[in-house]
């Protein structure tokens, strides 16, 4: 039988898991970490089979890696330099707090284009790098949403 405290913790766990899915779609919100927190709060409250706990932990860590490195990898694949990726990341972070997610995406794309154009004196290469970086950022969010969503679904199945 679940006590009142355990019930509160289970509700908190699922709130964190849902927040993880939502957070994976919002730039600069740590969806993976919210999902992992939800798993561990649930584990603390009522327990989980070890194989489920380890499996969900691995999925959460993979999601965090995708979140952390997705934009930089996309920039590099698009032909941008490491310096460009770092500058775009800083600009994106600053713009997020001023303009929100749309400004972040547009700011990163514009920064990648501007820095790569300045670096290579080639508008076509700058545009290519900006487009691939933007597509990679959006794809990274989709992958994160799928992974955190799978964590939520797994926890619902375990709880039932």
């Amino acid at each position: 039988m679940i006590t009142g405290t355990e019930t509160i913790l289970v509700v908190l766990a699922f709130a964190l898991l849902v927040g993880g899915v939502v957070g994976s779609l919002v730039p600069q919100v740590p969806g993976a970490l919210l999902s992992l927190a939800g798993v561990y709060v649930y584990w603390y409250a009522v327990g989980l089979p070890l194989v489920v706990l380890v499996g969900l932990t691995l999925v959460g860590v993979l999601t965090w890696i995708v979140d952390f490195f997705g934009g930089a990898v996309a920039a590099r694949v698009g032909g941008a330099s490491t310096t460009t990726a770092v500058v775009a990341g800083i600009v994106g972070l600053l713009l997020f707090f001023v303009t929100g997610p749309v400004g972040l995406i547009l700011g990163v794309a514009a920064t990648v284009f501007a820095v790569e154009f300045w670096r290579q004196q080639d508008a076509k290469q700058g545009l290519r790098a900006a487009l691939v970086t933007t597509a990679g950022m959006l794809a990274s969010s989709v992958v994160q949403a799928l992974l955190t969503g799978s964590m939520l679904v797994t926890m619902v199945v375990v709880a039932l």
Side-chain angles (χ1 to χ4, degrees), residues 31-105:
L33 299 179
L34 289 172
S35 291
L36 281 172
V39 168
Y40 280 90
V41 167
Y42 186 91
W43 168 76
Y44 177 78
V46 295
L48 279 172
L50 183 59
V51 68
V52 174
L53 183 64
V54 170
L56 289 173
T57 299
L58 291 174
V59 171
V61 169
L62 174 63
T63 306
W64 179 78
I65 289 169
V66 168
D67 182 20
F68 194 73
F69 293 109
V73 168
R76 296 291 294 146
V77 167
S81 69
T82 302
T83 302
T84 300
V86 170
V87 171
I90 292 168
V91 169
L93 181 64
L94 295 173
L95 283 175
F96 175 74
F97 292 110
V98 177
T99 62
V102 174
L104 177 139
I105 292 169

Side-chain angles (χ1 to χ4, degrees), residues 19-29 31 101 105 138 140-146 148:
V21 175
V22 172
S24 67
L25 295 170
V26 177
Q28 306 304 322
V29 176
I105 292 169
L138 296 173
S140 171
S141 292
V142 170
V143 169
Q144 291 174 62
L146 291 172
T148 55

